[in-house]
């Protein structure tokens, strides 16, 4: 703002509820296209608006939260989806997020719901192979952005991802630069650890970091790896025949 003498506006397709609240507290303008705008210098107050999916409207894709819960349910073969988001299992999800995720999955025909008092319970009743077949078109690559780092990140809790993870799970050779994954968070309180390591000189980079739309589900191999279905989704558009062959083998093992 000081350099350009213009008021910057943060624009994002998704901001966590806690970060939205912090932006408002600090009077920092932001826009969530189609959902919310907060522009205090223009005397436009924040107005939260959440699109409600119609019962008969199938979404084009699932939001990151819904995709992550779907993957957790699939891995654990857990039929009662809402229990994966309950306080006893995971405190990251607010009641509003839980309700939205259940609504998305129901609109997509992936779960059936029952009302139990104030709570709505969601159940997966499809066979697991049909569940994946129906869900796959709605799932997107978790990778939202890639950055190149001037140092390896072995000292940070970042799981291997991309071709590095695929090499661990197949006969493929590992890439020259190790690939890691982390969720891209916008936080005023805690700057992301990787920012000081970012380099614009791709040829000199020591590592590559994928910034994900949701926290990676980590599998414990000899080295920590991102989960296999997210890995598949992140690489399924790679045109290299060797990558596609390894991904198809990986998918058969999972299914």
């Amino acid at each position: 703002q000081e350099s350009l003498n213009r008021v910057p506006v943060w624009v994002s397709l998704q901001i966590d509820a806690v970060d939205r609240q912090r932006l408002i507290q600090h009077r920092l303008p932001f826009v969530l296209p189609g959902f919310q705008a907060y522009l205090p210098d223009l005397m436009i107050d924040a107005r939260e608006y959440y699109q409600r999916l119609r019962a008969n409207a199938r979404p084009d894709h699932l939001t990151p939260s819904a995709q992550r819960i779907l993957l957790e349910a699939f891995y654990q073969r857990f039929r009662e989806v809402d229990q994966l988001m309950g306080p006893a299992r995971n405190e990251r999800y607010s009641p509003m997020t839980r309700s939205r995720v259940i609504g998305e999955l129901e609109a997509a025909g992936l779960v059936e719901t029952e009302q139990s008092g104030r709570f709505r319970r969601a159940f997966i009743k499809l066979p697991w192979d049909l569940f994946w077949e129906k869900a796959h078109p709605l799932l997107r690559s978790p990778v939202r952005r890639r950055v190149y780092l001037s140092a390896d990140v072995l000292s940070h809790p970042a799981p291997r991802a991309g071709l590095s993870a695929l090499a661990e799970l197949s006969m493929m050779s590992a890439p020259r630069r190790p690939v890691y994954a982390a969720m891209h968070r916008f936080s005023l309180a805690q700057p992301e650890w990787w920012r000081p390591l970012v380099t614009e000189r791709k040829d000199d980079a020591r590592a590559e970091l994928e910034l994900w739309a949701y926290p990676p589900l980590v599998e414990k191999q000899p080295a920590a790896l991102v989960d296999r279905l997210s890995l598949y989704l992140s690489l399924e558009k790679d045109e290299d025949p060797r990558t596609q062959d390894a991904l198809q083998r990986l998918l058969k093992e999972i299914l």
Side-chain angles (χ1 to χ4, degrees), residues 82-93:
D82 55 290
Q83 292 299 313
L84 287 171
M85 296 180 284
R89 294 288 300 258
N90 196 327
E91 296 182 357
R92 287 194 306 271
Y93 299 98

Side-chain angles (χ1 to χ4, degrees), residues 60-221:
D60 294 330
H61 60 268
L62 298 180
T63 59
S65 297
Q67 179 166 318
R68 191 177 194 276
I69 287 297
L70 181 150
L71 294 176
E72 282 196 79
F74 186 86
Y75 285 127
Q76 300 179 35
R77 298 299 195 261
F78 203 87
R79 295 284 182 181
E80 195 167 348
V81 176
D82 55 290
Q83 292 299 313
L84 287 171
M85 296 180 284
R89 294 288 300 258
N90 196 327
E91 296 182 357
R92 287 194 306 271
Y93 299 98
S94 66
M96 182 174 62
T97 299
R98 292 199 294 271
S99 178
R100 175 175 55 76
V101 167
I102 291 173
E104 285 184 60
L105 297 177
E106 183 180 25
L110 297 171
V111 301
E112 297 180 20
T113 61
E114 298 175 3
Q115 197 69 29
S116 178
R118 295 183 305 150
F119 302 101
R120 189 166 45 147
R121 303 173 66 190
F123 300 90
I124 298 172
K125 297 187 177 181
L126 293 170
W128 290 108
D129 56 342
L130 294 180
F131 178 75
W132 169 256
E133 184 178 336
K134 193 170 186 177
H136 183 203
L138 303 176
L139 305 180
R140 298 194 297 180
S141 168
V143 182
R144 292 293 176 262
R145 181 184 166 201
R146 300 176 192 274
V147 294
Y148 296 91
L149 307 181
S150 59
D152 204 332
V153 296
L154 292 175
S155 60
H156 295 277
R160 290 184 182 269
L163 294 178
S164 287
L166 189 60
E168 295 280 348
L169 299 169
S170 68
M171 300 298 292
M172 290 187 63
S173 300
R176 180 176 62 85
R177 276 191 303 262
V179 184
Y180 300 92
M183 183 179 178
H184 190 183
R185 298 181 182 276
F186 175 74
S187 175
L188 298 174
Q190 296 180 331
E192 288 147 317
W193 58 265
W194 48 265
R195 287 194 179 278
L197 300 176
V198 173
T199 176
E200 299 298 330
R201 297 175 60 84
K202 180 178 176 180
D203 292 339
D204 297 334
R206 297 282 304 279
E208 181 179 338
L209 183 67
E210 296 178 348
L211 300 176
W212 281 28
Y214 53 82
L217 290 160
V218 180
E219 293 188 10
K220 296 298 182 182
Q221 300 288 332

